Structure formats: C-alpha cells, structure tokens
C-alpha cells in the first residue's frame, strides 16, 4: 500500500497553502481528495486538476470508495490525503487504512459549527468524530502551515 505522508482536514481542499507549503514540505507525489460533493462535480474536479502540478497525480473519490482505492495503490506512492470533514478519515480508519497523524488545517464557521481554536470551528458531531479518530491511536493536531507549531487537540475537546 502507498505511504500516507499527510492527512489534512480542510474545507478548501486544494488551495495556496496546500500547494505552496504542504506539498513541498511532505514530498507527496499523489494527492487524494476524499469528498462526496467534489467527486460528483465534474467542473470542480477539472478546476482542481488545473491547480495541481503535472508531475503530481490527483484522484478524487467518494468517501465509500476511497479506502479500497488507497489500499490498492503502489508502494512508491506518497499520498497527501485531503478531506473537508473528519468523518472521511474516520471511515478510512474503520476500513483498515492506517493513519498515524491527521492535521486540521481549516474548518470554517457555519451554522452547525462553533469556534473552538482561533479560526477553527467544529460541530458537536465533528468533535465526537475527533474523539473516535483518536481512539484508533491516530494523533490529531491543529497545524495550519508547516513552519508553525502543531497544537494537540485533546484539551480543546473537553
């Protein structure tokens, strides 16, 4: 199976910070977006493809197909996994994909979410999902850009 070099929760998925800071920092050669809405929208998928350098492979999966696809990927693949919601990563963990660490990079406010750390917001359900992710032995941190310090999530879930 491919090596996961970064798993990131971010509402924006592919954007400037991801492409200019995280991609070179982790040395990924394959970006995997896990998001039902994005996977169903051919226009958004084409825009994302244009945003990724040619030498970087991009795949966009519905949540229910991501785990099987990742498990079949070649060993030389260095994966950057991107999802909008924590449930996408919980689903991977529950279907056998091992994730040592997941970072939260951007979860913006909306009517269901409340702020819990600077500009990071989460709903009650998302906070419960964070706890389930950590119960799998996966480290969960807030880490906006590589040259900033990562912040552990545990104390913000109380």
């Amino acid at each position: 199976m491919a090596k996961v070099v970064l798993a990131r929760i971010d509402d924006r998925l592919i954007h400037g910070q991801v492409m200019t800071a995280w991609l070179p920092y982790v040395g990924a050669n394959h970006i995997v977006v896990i998001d039902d809405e994005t996977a169903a929208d051919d226009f958004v998928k084409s825009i994302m493809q244009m945003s990724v350098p040619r030498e970087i492979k991009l795949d966009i999966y519905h949540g229910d197909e991501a785990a099987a696809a990742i498990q079949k990927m070649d060993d030389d693949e260095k994966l950057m996994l991107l999802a909008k919601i924590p449930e996408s990563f919980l689903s991977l963990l529950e279907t056998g994909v091992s994730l040592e660490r997941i970072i939260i990079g951007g979860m913006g406010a909306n009517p269901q979410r409340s702020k819990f750390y600077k500009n990071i917001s989460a709903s009650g359900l998302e906070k419960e999902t964070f706890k389930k992710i950590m119960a799998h032995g996966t480290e969960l941190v807030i880490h906006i850009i590589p040259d900033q310090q990562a912040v552990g999530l545990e104390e913000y879930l109380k």
Side-chain angles (χ1 to χ4, degrees):
M1 187 179 92
K3 178 179 176 156
V4 176
V5 295
L6 179 73
R8 178 181 171 93
I9 300 169
D10 193 320
D11 293 341
R12 301 166 292 169
L13 298 172
I14 294 175
H15 58 89
Q17 283 177 350
V18 169
M19 299 312 297
T20 63
W22 284 108
L23 187 63
Y25 182 74
V26 298
N29 61 11
H30 190 162
I31 297 172
V32 176
V33 171
I34 306 160
D35 183 65
D36 290 342
E37 186 178 302
T38 303
D41 189 327
D42 289 337
F43 177 72
V44 171
K45 288 192 299 190
S46 68
I47 297 297
M48 283 190 174
Q49 187 63 60
M50 287 186 273
S51 304
V52 173
R54 288 178 190 245
E55 67 274 10
I56 305 297
K57 187 173 179 182
L58 172 66
D59 283 311
I60 302 169
Y61 295 109
H62 289 274
D64 60 355
E65 45 184 32
I70 290 168
Q71 290 169 333
K72 292 177 186 172
M73 291 179 184
D74 294 335
D75 292 346
D76 63 342
E77 299 284 337
K78 295 178 195 167
L79 303 181
M80 175 187 286
L81 306 180
L82 303 173
K84 289 182 181 180
I85 56 174
E87 291 83 0
S88 298
F89 288 121
L90 180 59
S91 177
L92 289 182
L93 290 165
E94 289 174 342
T95 54
V97 175
S98 178
L99 300 171
E100 289 180 28
R101 181 183 225 206
I102 298 170
I103 66 170
I104 299 171
M107 292 179 67
N110 68 32
Q112 291 77 40
R113 290 179 173 167
S114 59
K115 184 171 109 172
F116 73 95
Y117 179 84
K118 295 186 180 180
N119 63 341
I120 306 293
S121 299
S123 68
L125 178 61
E126 288 169 327
K127 289 179 183 178
E128 289 304 311
T129 301
F130 292 151
K131 292 175 185 175
K132 290 176 184 175
I133 287 170
M134 291 186 291
H136 279 270
T138 300
E139 180 184 19
L140 195 54
V141 298
I142 299 167
H143 200 174
I144 308 303
I145 56 175
D147 61 356
Q148 290 180 343
Q149 184 71 26
V151 175
L153 202 61
E154 297 85 7
E155 68 181 270
Y156 297 100
L157 294 178
K158 296 176 183 172

